[in-house]
Amino acid sequence: MGDRWQVEVDRGVCIGSGMCVNHAPDGFFLDSARQSHPAAPETDANEPVLTAAEGCPVEAITITLLGSGEAVFPPEE
């Protein structure tokens, strides 16, 4: 069994670029105000969602491991 992630979007930071939807169309959607939302806030670890988080121009997406809360993205420094 693989890792499970908690995916969150800070809509106070999100600028609605849509890059997350481009990278992970099954992982994110934009609402009518062009604010991003995770399609499933709890999801299996997957490369497209990670790529979307890494590609967000304002780093509005955070990913943590379910259960432990350990940061997946952005990585803790």
Side-chain angles (χ1 to χ4, degrees), residues 33-54:
R34 293 200 49 84
Q35 294 292 288
S36 177
H37 297 264
E42 296 181 3
T43 188
D44 291 331
N46 68 82
E47 195 63 32
V49 169
L50 180 59
T51 300
E54 292 171 339

mmCIF file of all heavy atoms in Angstrom, residues 33-54:
data_model
loop_
_atom_site.group_PDB
_atom_site.id
_atom_site.type_symbol
_atom_site.label_atom_id
_atom_site.label_comp_id
_atom_site.label_asym_id
_atom_site.label_seq_id
_atom_site.Cartn_x
_atom_site.Cartn_y
_atom_site.Cartn_z
ATOM 1 N N ALA A 33 -14.812 31.430 -9.939
ATOM 2 C CA ALA A 33 -13.960 32.591 -9.652
ATOM 3 C C ALA A 33 -12.507 32.309 -10.025
ATOM 4 O O ALA A 33 -11.614 33.093 -9.681
ATOM 5 C CB ALA A 33 -14.061 32.957 -8.173
ATOM 6 N N ARG A 34 -12.268 31.194 -10.727
ATOM 7 C CA ARG A 34 -10.935 30.761 -11.146
ATOM 8 C C ARG A 34 -10.018 30.475 -9.972
ATOM 9 O O ARG A 34 -8.809 30.673 -10.045
ATOM 10 C CB ARG A 34 -10.284 31.741 -12.123
ATOM 11 C CG ARG A 34 -11.002 31.805 -13.457
ATOM 12 C CD ARG A 34 -10.175 32.368 -14.581
ATOM 13 N NE ARG A 34 -8.836 31.822 -14.758
ATOM 14 C CZ ARG A 34 -8.534 30.715 -15.430
ATOM 15 N NH1 ARG A 34 -9.475 29.986 -15.964
ATOM 16 N NH2 ARG A 34 -7.283 30.314 -15.546
ATOM 17 N N GLN A 35 -10.586 29.973 -8.890
ATOM 18 C CA GLN A 35 -9.799 29.534 -7.744
ATOM 19 C C GLN A 35 -9.668 28.016 -7.802
ATOM 20 O O GLN A 35 -10.645 27.311 -8.070
ATOM 21 C CB GLN A 35 -10.471 29.944 -6.433
ATOM 22 C CG GLN A 35 -10.523 31.445 -6.228
ATOM 23 C CD GLN A 35 -9.142 32.025 -6.003
ATOM 24 O OE1 GLN A 35 -8.550 31.840 -4.968
ATOM 25 N NE2 GLN A 35 -8.621 32.727 -7.001
ATOM 26 N N SER A 36 -8.474 27.533 -7.531
ATOM 27 C CA SER A 36 -8.200 26.105 -7.615
ATOM 28 C C SER A 36 -8.721 25.363 -6.385
ATOM 29 O O SER A 36 -8.721 25.890 -5.266
ATOM 30 C CB SER A 36 -6.690 25.887 -7.726
ATOM 31 O OG SER A 36 -6.391 24.510 -7.746
ATOM 32 N N HIS A 37 -9.151 24.129 -6.630
ATOM 33 C CA HIS A 37 -9.588 23.221 -5.569
ATOM 34 C C HIS A 37 -9.042 21.835 -5.897
ATOM 35 O O HIS A 37 -9.052 21.436 -7.076
ATOM 36 C CB HIS A 37 -11.116 23.118 -5.519
ATOM 37 C CG HIS A 37 -11.798 24.395 -5.199
ATOM 38 N ND1 HIS A 37 -12.187 24.729 -3.931
ATOM 39 C CD2 HIS A 37 -12.152 25.435 -5.988
ATOM 40 C CE1 HIS A 37 -12.772 25.917 -3.951
ATOM 41 N NE2 HIS A 37 -12.757 26.371 -5.193
ATOM 42 N N PRO A 38 -8.592 21.081 -4.895
ATOM 43 C CA PRO A 38 -8.229 19.690 -5.180
ATOM 44 C C PRO A 38 -9.495 18.880 -5.467
ATOM 45 O O PRO A 38 -10.516 19.063 -4.801
ATOM 46 C CB PRO A 38 -7.540 19.221 -3.897
ATOM 47 C CG PRO A 38 -8.004 20.153 -2.827
ATOM 48 C CD PRO A 38 -8.365 21.443 -3.503
ATOM 49 N N ALA A 39 -9.442 18.038 -6.467
ATOM 50 C CA ALA A 39 -10.592 17.193 -6.797
ATOM 51 C C ALA A 39 -10.876 16.222 -5.656
ATOM 52 O O ALA A 39 -12.025 15.918 -5.377
ATOM 53 C CB ALA A 39 -10.336 16.442 -8.092
ATOM 54 N N ALA A 40 -9.827 15.769 -5.006
ATOM 55 C CA ALA A 40 -9.950 14.871 -3.851
ATOM 56 C C ALA A 40 -8.916 15.321 -2.830
ATOM 57 O O ALA A 40 -7.721 15.092 -3.028
ATOM 58 C CB ALA A 40 -9.707 13.430 -4.260
ATOM 59 N N PRO A 41 -9.335 16.002 -1.756
ATOM 60 C CA PRO A 41 -8.371 16.493 -0.770
ATOM 61 C C PRO A 41 -7.492 15.392 -0.168
ATOM 62 O O PRO A 41 -6.364 15.649 0.208
ATOM 63 C CB PRO A 41 -9.246 17.136 0.306
ATOM 64 C CG PRO A 41 -10.501 17.508 -0.418
ATOM 65 C CD PRO A 41 -10.692 16.427 -1.450
ATOM 66 N N GLU A 42 -8.011 14.165 -0.114
ATOM 67 C CA GLU A 42 -7.208 13.025 0.308
ATOM 68 C C GLU A 42 -7.065 12.110 -0.897
ATOM 69 O O GLU A 42 -8.057 11.663 -1.473
ATOM 70 C CB GLU A 42 -7.875 12.283 1.465
ATOM 71 C CG GLU A 42 -7.975 13.132 2.713
ATOM 72 C CD GLU A 42 -8.619 12.397 3.870
ATOM 73 O OE1 GLU A 42 -8.947 11.194 3.744
ATOM 74 O OE2 GLU A 42 -8.815 13.044 4.912
ATOM 75 N N THR A 43 -5.823 11.841 -1.290
ATOM 76 C CA THR A 43 -5.581 11.079 -2.509
ATOM 77 C C THR A 43 -4.361 10.193 -2.350
ATOM 78 O O THR A 43 -3.509 10.439 -1.486
ATOM 79 C CB THR A 43 -5.403 12.032 -3.710
ATOM 80 O OG1 THR A 43 -5.345 11.280 -4.917
ATOM 81 C CG2 THR A 43 -4.154 12.885 -3.600
ATOM 82 N N ASP A 44 -4.278 9.181 -3.180
ATOM 83 C CA ASP A 44 -3.063 8.377 -3.244
ATOM 84 C C ASP A 44 -1.946 9.257 -3.809
ATOM 85 O O ASP A 44 -2.189 10.123 -4.658
ATOM 86 C CB ASP A 44 -3.252 7.164 -4.151
ATOM 87 C CG ASP A 44 -4.205 6.125 -3.564
ATOM 88 O OD1 ASP A 44 -4.287 6.030 -2.315
ATOM 89 O OD2 ASP A 44 -4.857 5.420 -4.344
ATOM 90 N N ALA A 45 -0.737 9.030 -3.337
ATOM 91 C CA ALA A 45 0.417 9.751 -3.867
ATOM 92 C C ALA A 45 0.478 9.526 -5.374
ATOM 93 O O ALA A 45 0.315 8.398 -5.840
ATOM 94 C CB ALA A 45 1.690 9.253 -3.197
ATOM 95 N N ASN A 46 0.679 10.617 -6.115
ATOM 96 C CA ASN A 46 0.788 10.470 -7.565
ATOM 97 C C ASN A 46 1.581 11.615 -8.166
ATOM 98 O O ASN A 46 1.557 12.743 -7.674
ATOM 99 C CB ASN A 46 -0.582 10.308 -8.224
ATOM 100 C CG ASN A 46 -1.444 11.548 -8.149
ATOM 101 O OD1 ASN A 46 -1.273 12.438 -8.971
ATOM 102 N ND2 ASN A 46 -2.340 11.621 -7.180
ATOM 103 N N GLU A 47 2.292 11.297 -9.217
ATOM 104 C CA GLU A 47 3.217 12.243 -9.854
ATOM 105 C C GLU A 47 2.521 13.479 -10.431
ATOM 106 O O GLU A 47 3.027 14.589 -10.274
ATOM 107 C CB GLU A 47 4.027 11.523 -10.937
ATOM 108 C CG GLU A 47 5.235 12.307 -11.398
ATOM 109 C CD GLU A 47 6.286 12.552 -10.321
ATOM 110 O OE1 GLU A 47 6.449 11.705 -9.425
ATOM 111 O OE2 GLU A 47 6.936 13.609 -10.377
ATOM 112 N N PRO A 48 1.363 13.357 -11.107
ATOM 113 C CA PRO A 48 0.741 14.559 -11.656
ATOM 114 C C PRO A 48 0.382 15.607 -10.594
ATOM 115 O O PRO A 48 0.573 16.812 -10.811
ATOM 116 C CB PRO A 48 -0.510 14.044 -12.373
ATOM 117 C CG PRO A 48 -0.182 12.633 -12.723
ATOM 118 C CD PRO A 48 0.659 12.140 -11.576
ATOM 119 N N VAL A 49 -0.119 15.170 -9.439
ATOM 120 C CA VAL A 49 -0.463 16.130 -8.381
ATOM 121 C C VAL A 49 0.805 16.796 -7.844
ATOM 122 O O VAL A 49 0.831 18.008 -7.616
ATOM 123 C CB VAL A 49 -1.281 15.451 -7.259
ATOM 124 C CG1 VAL A 49 -1.400 16.360 -6.041
ATOM 125 C CG2 VAL A 49 -2.668 15.087 -7.776
ATOM 126 N N LEU A 50 1.872 16.029 -7.662
ATOM 127 C CA LEU A 50 3.136 16.606 -7.214
ATOM 128 C C LEU A 50 3.673 17.595 -8.249
ATOM 129 O O LEU A 50 4.118 18.695 -7.899
ATOM 130 C CB LEU A 50 4.162 15.515 -6.928
ATOM 131 C CG LEU A 50 5.533 16.005 -6.457
ATOM 132 C CD1 LEU A 50 5.419 16.826 -5.169
ATOM 133 C CD2 LEU A 50 6.471 14.819 -6.255
ATOM 134 N N THR A 51 3.611 17.237 -9.517
ATOM 135 C CA THR A 51 4.064 18.126 -10.585
ATOM 136 C C THR A 51 3.244 19.419 -10.597
ATOM 137 O O THR A 51 3.786 20.504 -10.793
ATOM 138 C CB THR A 51 3.976 17.423 -11.951
ATOM 139 O OG1 THR A 51 4.814 16.263 -11.917
ATOM 140 C CG2 THR A 51 4.415 18.329 -13.087
ATOM 141 N N ALA A 52 1.945 19.305 -10.355
ATOM 142 C CA ALA A 52 1.082 20.491 -10.295
ATOM 143 C C ALA A 52 1.504 21.407 -9.150
ATOM 144 O O ALA A 52 1.582 22.629 -9.321
ATOM 145 C CB ALA A 52 -0.375 20.080 -10.137
ATOM 146 N N ALA A 53 1.774 20.823 -7.991
ATOM 147 C CA ALA A 53 2.205 21.627 -6.841
ATOM 148 C C ALA A 53 3.533 22.314 -7.136
ATOM 149 O O ALA A 53 3.701 23.508 -6.862
ATOM 150 C CB ALA A 53 2.314 20.761 -5.596
ATOM 151 N N GLU A 54 4.454 21.572 -7.712
ATOM 152 C CA GLU A 54 5.770 22.134 -8.037
ATOM 153 C C GLU A 54 5.670 23.225 -9.098
ATOM 154 O O GLU A 54 6.470 24.158 -9.112
ATOM 155 C CB GLU A 54 6.713 21.031 -8.518
ATOM 156 C CG GLU A 54 7.080 20.048 -7.439
ATOM 157 C CD GLU A 54 7.830 18.835 -7.961
ATOM 158 O OE1 GLU A 54 7.745 18.515 -9.171
ATOM 159 O OE2 GLU A 54 8.484 18.179 -7.137
#
